[in-house]
Amino acid sequence: MRLGVLDVGSNTVHLLVVDAHRGAAPLPAYSHKTELRLAEHLDEAGKIDQSGADGLIAFTKDAVQLAEDKGCESLLAFATSALREAPNGEKVLDRVRSETGVDLEVLSGDDEARLTFLAVRRWFGWSSGRLAVFDIGGGSLEIAAGSDEQPTVAVSVQLGAGRLTREALAADPPDKDQVRELRRRIRLEMAAVAGPVLRAGRPQRSVATSKTFRSLARIAGAAPSADGPYVARTLNRDDLSEWIPKLTKMTAAERAALPGVSAGRASQLVAGALVADAVMDLFDLTALEVCPWALREGVILSRLDQLQPR
């Protein structure tokens, strides 16, 4: 069957069309996305402004038409922290529903962690043993760990790269005192969740997903995306530690010139690198394997699991 998946994130709104059936890997057939940056379309009260809501509705209308053009049987549509946390999120959802016919499902942070974990488990398989999975989004960091397809622990922390950049790194390049204070904040919040995750058992395989981790791995020497999803990619802690001082001294434009870093996300890379560094330090990891599957694939796989076998 052919499915359309509409992913409304804090940074990017993405329509992915896949050919999939139960028991098989979903194969991407078409992709359409834009960096709407919904989390930046906030007024003083934290509400999504008119421009942000209008942009989301316009993209959703395009997504509905494209999904129809590509022959999709159904459209799975979900949203994450930007709509989940906005005080007027329900009103925006109502507008999307009434003007496009699409009913966006707002995932909780724990659901994000759980579904991302499912995708990583299916990608690496049972031989990985106990998995730990880390995903840095625009608004939050998801952490999940376990030995089955459902994680034993699944948590979401408000340590997204976009959120931290907006709240703590105003200058370009960032002020060194702001970087130091943000580093301290990240580690305090990370330490509060590291204990419960580690008490459940140390991972045999530690995995990172998300654009932030992929960009950091790429600038540290991992293979480019053009080499395909099956090439092994790793982010080493020593390499990240060498790059962080360099990244903090660069402007966003200079970071955008690095391999694997888009102009739209370059401003968030310092905050993302600080979160990644804290993950590897507090969880005592020398390296993270980068998985090409993440939340979108988890949503697809979960949907396929609900279908009756032929």
Side-chain angles (χ1 to χ4, degrees):
M1 65 186 301
R2 176 160 283 197
L3 295 173
V5 184
L6 177 60
D7 175 357
V8 180
S10 298
N11 288 314
T12 304
V13 187
H14 190 173
L15 171 70
L16 180 66
V17 175
V18 297
D19 290 317
H21 63 269
R22 185 173 177 173
L27 298 176
Y30 177 78
S31 176
H32 174 57
K33 60 184 175 181
T34 185
E35 289 188 345
L36 181 58
R37 297 190 170 283
L38 202 58
E40 296 181 8
H41 286 277
L42 304 177
D43 61 20
E44 294 181 355
K47 296 180 179 180
I48 295 172
D49 62 23
Q50 183 78 23
S51 174
D54 290 346
L56 174 59
I57 289 166
F59 187 92
T60 303
K61 287 180 178 178
D62 289 343
V64 170
Q65 185 61 58
L66 286 168
E68 181 181 322
D69 292 345
K70 300 300 180 183
C72 294
E73 294 183 27
S74 61
L75 180 66
L76 308 178
F78 66 92
T80 56
S81 62
L83 277 168
R84 183 170 67 232
E85 297 172 10
N88 65 334
E90 286 296 330
K91 290 185 178 180
V92 175
L93 291 170
D94 288 342
R95 274 197 64 193
V96 172
R97 190 180 301 112
S98 65
E99 296 184 35
T100 71
V102 173
D103 191 4
L104 279 170
E105 178 185 4
V106 179
L107 299 177
S108 69
D110 290 356
D111 282 341
E112 287 188 55
R114 178 179 57 80
L115 290 165
T116 302
F117 183 89
L118 172 64
V120 174
R121 169 62 75 190
R122 294 281 177 89
W123 181 268
F124 284 111
W126 294 111
S127 63
S128 298
R130 181 172 176 79
L131 276 174
V133 178
F134 305 91
D135 186 304
I136 302 173
S140 58
L141 163 73
E142 275 67 52
I143 304 172
S147 300
D148 301 322
E149 287 207 330
Q150 294 298 317
T152 307
V153 183
V155 295
S156 180
V157 195
Q158 292 188 334
L159 292 176
R163 179 197 301 274
L164 296 178
T165 302
R166 291 192 304 275
E167 294 177 354
L169 299 180
D172 182 30
D175 178 80
K176 64 179 181 180
D177 291 333
Q178 289 182 335
V179 171
R180 182 177 179 82
E181 179 56 31
L182 178 58
R183 181 182 185 276
R184 177 178 176 275
R185 169 186 165 184
I186 290 168
R187 285 166 180 263
L188 282 172
E189 295 188 34
M190 190 86 69
V193 299
V197 175
L198 290 172
R199 274 196 295 272
R202 292 196 61 81
Q204 294 166 283
R205 191 168 208 158
S206 300
V207 179
T209 71
S210 75
K211 177 64 174 176
T212 296
F213 274 119
R214 291 198 301 272
S215 295
L216 291 170
R218 178 71 185 99
I219 65 174
S225 58
D227 287 358
Y230 298 107
V231 175
R233 295 173 176 86
T234 302
L235 175 62
N236 293 306
R237 184 178 168 192
D238 288 345
D239 292 336
L240 180 61
S241 296
E242 287 184 12
W243 268 100
I244 287 177
K246 301 175 187 177
L247 294 173
T248 59
K249 294 175 183 177
M250 294 179 179
T251 64
E254 289 170 335
R255 291 192 293 272
L258 296 172
V261 181
S262 67
R265 292 183 184 255
S267 63
Q268 303 179 13
L269 196 61
V270 170
L274 293 175
V275 174
D277 186 52
V279 163
M280 299 179 83
D281 187 5
L282 295 181
F283 286 88
D284 193 23
L285 304 172
T286 57
L288 285 165
E289 296 180 72
V290 179
C291 181
W293 281 6
L295 178 59
R296 272 189 300 275
E297 288 76 16
V299 169
I300 296 166
L301 293 167
S302 179
R303 173 72 178 89
L304 293 174
D305 287 347
Q306 297 169 21
L307 299 178
Q308 292 296 322
R310 294 183 178 180

